[in-house]
């Protein structure tokens, strides 16, 4: 079974509105592999077969499925006409025959992946982590500042470090460096719990004052999205499917 959770977002700013799509995919390797011909181009298939590790193949497939469903829904194009290439730093580059100026951010962890597709005019980036996963909590704790730990003091211990990690990872993807830069550069200086149906927290960083990071918390995972600070997000639709939906439904 391939579980798909799709969230279509509306984004409001003073000078206009934007659309963005989030897709979260959860599935075992066997189910993904059986359906890969519905999603992968010949170039992507070659890259997929080049991975020797089953884990890497699994993550690659999950990420491509999530990204292509998100893009297909946004621009009404068949998933097989959408290709995800890699930039010089390994970042995903979305190409489509409709020539829409879109960008994609992908995150994967074991049997789950998340992708967000948005306009290049309004950059966004995503990260997802399982709660209670085997993240090196002690390492993250040592690299977290006292201010951050104080800000997140009311967040449960088993959630806190996954949350901190996704916040910083999403921000690092937004500026396209990844966590190759010092962890402290992404210090969280503002943290607030939200009462919305989709996002649980909002964070700010002193070194990237033009951005905000919003985070979603479920019983299973935490997901964070970095986006421009003054943007207001609303949900257009949210759909969850517990079985595989054929590719033509996204065309």
């Amino acid at each position: 079974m391939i579980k798909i959770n799709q969230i279509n977002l509306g984004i409001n700013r003073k000078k206009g509105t934007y659309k963005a799509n989030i897709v979260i995919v959860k599935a075992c390797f066997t189910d993904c592999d059986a359906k890969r011909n519905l999603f992968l181009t010949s170039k992507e298939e070659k890259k997929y077969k080049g991975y020797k590790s089953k884990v890497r193949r699994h993550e690659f497939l999950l990420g491509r499925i999530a990204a292509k469903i998100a893009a297909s829904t946004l621009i009404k194009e068949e998933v097989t006409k959408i290709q995800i290439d890699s930039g010089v730093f390994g970042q995903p580059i979305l190409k489509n025959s409709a020539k829409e100026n879109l960008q994609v951010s992908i995150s994967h962890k074991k049997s789950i992946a998340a992708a967000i597709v948005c306009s290049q005019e309004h950059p966004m980036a995503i990260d997802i982590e399982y709660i209670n996963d085997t993240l090196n909590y002690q390492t993250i704790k040592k690299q977290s500042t006292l201010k951050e730990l104080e800000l997140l003091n009311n967040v449960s211990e088993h959630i806190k470090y996954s949350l901190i990690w996704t916040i910083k990872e999403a921000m690092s993807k937004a500026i396209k460096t990844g966590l190759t830069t010092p962890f402290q550069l992404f210090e969280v200086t503002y943290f607030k719990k939200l009462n919305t149906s989709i996002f649980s927290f909002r964070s700010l960083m002193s070194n990237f004052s033009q951005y905000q990071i919003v985070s979603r918390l479920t019983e299973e995972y935490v997901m964070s999205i970095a986006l421009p600070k003054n943007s207001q997000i609303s949900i257009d639709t949210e759909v969850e499917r517990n079985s595989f939906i054929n590719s033509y439904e996204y065309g």
Side-chain angles (χ1 to χ4, degrees):
M1 180 184 292
I2 297 179
K3 183 177 178 180
I4 300 168
N5 188 23
Q6 183 169 309
I7 306 166
N8 304 318
L9 300 176
I11 302 161
N12 296 311
R13 292 182 62 83
K14 287 184 178 180
K15 294 184 179 180
T17 60
Y18 299 90
K19 299 287 186 181
N21 278 349
I22 300 170
V23 170
I24 302 158
V25 176
K26 184 181 179 184
C28 69
F29 173 75
T30 303
D31 289 343
C32 287
D33 186 64
K35 300 294 185 179
R36 74 177 194 269
N37 65 303
L38 296 175
F39 288 94
L40 299 186
T41 63
S42 57
K43 184 176 180 180
E44 290 166 334
E45 176 75 11
K46 184 177 180 180
K47 186 173 183 178
Y48 169 78
K49 289 181 177 179
Y51 292 120
K52 304 302 180 184
S53 166
K54 180 179 175 180
V55 172
R56 188 65 189 92
R57 285 188 174 192
H58 192 187
E59 291 177 340
F60 180 83
L61 278 174
L62 284 170
R64 266 26 183 203
I65 292 171
K68 291 194 176 192
I69 291 175
S72 176
T73 305
L74 195 63
I75 62 176
K76 309 302 179 187
E77 185 170 46
E78 294 179 12
V79 291
T80 52
K81 293 182 179 179
I82 298 168
Q83 183 161 295
I84 312 294
D85 286 341
S86 297
V88 295
F89 294 116
Q91 77 275 23
I93 306 296
L94 193 152
K95 296 181 179 179
N96 61 91
S97 61
K99 305 299 182 184
E100 295 279 350
N101 292 319
L102 302 175
Q103 73 173 43
V104 61
S105 177
I106 300 172
S107 177
H108 41 65
K109 186 71 174 182
K110 296 182 179 178
S111 61
I112 195 170
I116 187 166
V117 173
C118 57
S119 168
Q120 288 185 354
E121 297 177 37
H122 188 273
M124 303 174 77
I126 196 167
D127 192 67
I128 192 168
E129 292 285 347
Y130 281 115
I131 295 171
N132 282 331
D133 196 14
T134 54
L135 279 170
N136 191 333
Y137 291 151
Q138 290 303 316
T139 299
I140 298 172
K141 185 175 182 178
K142 287 177 182 178
Q143 294 183 352
S144 300
T145 66
L146 291 175
K147 184 169 186 177
E148 288 176 329
L149 296 177
E150 183 179 334
L151 284 171
L152 276 69
N153 186 52
N154 293 326
V155 178
S156 300
E157 197 77 6
H158 72 289
I159 296 171
K160 183 183 301 182
Y161 299 112
S162 292
L163 178 59
I164 291 175
W165 181 267
T166 61
I167 290 170
K168 297 191 177 190
E169 184 77 56
M171 188 66 248
S172 74
K173 290 179 180 179
I175 63 172
K176 294 183 170 57
T177 64
L179 291 177
T180 58
T181 48
F183 213 59
Q184 288 75 14
L185 185 66
F186 301 101
E187 182 185 29
V188 177
T189 54
Y190 173 89
F191 182 80
K192 181 180 180 181
K193 188 171 183 179
L194 302 176
N195 295 314
T196 68
S197 59
I198 177 172
F199 295 115
S200 309
F201 308 102
R202 180 175 185 260
S203 309
L204 301 174
M205 296 178 179
S206 58
N207 290 319
F208 303 99
S209 58
Q210 71 273 47
Y211 281 93
Q212 61 177 320
I213 303 95
V214 291
S215 303
R216 184 180 203 182
L217 179 64
T218 74
E219 293 181 356
E220 187 175 24
Y221 64 81
V222 58
M223 177 181 72
S224 292
I225 298 166
L227 71 156
K229 182 179 179 180
N230 296 322
S231 297
Q232 301 295 321
I233 303 178
S234 61
I235 301 176
D236 285 347
T237 55
E238 179 170 2
V239 179
E240 184 171 315
R241 301 178 174 92
N242 291 318
S243 60
F244 186 77
I245 307 299
N246 287 329
S247 61
Y248 67 80
E249 295 191 38
Y250 298 101

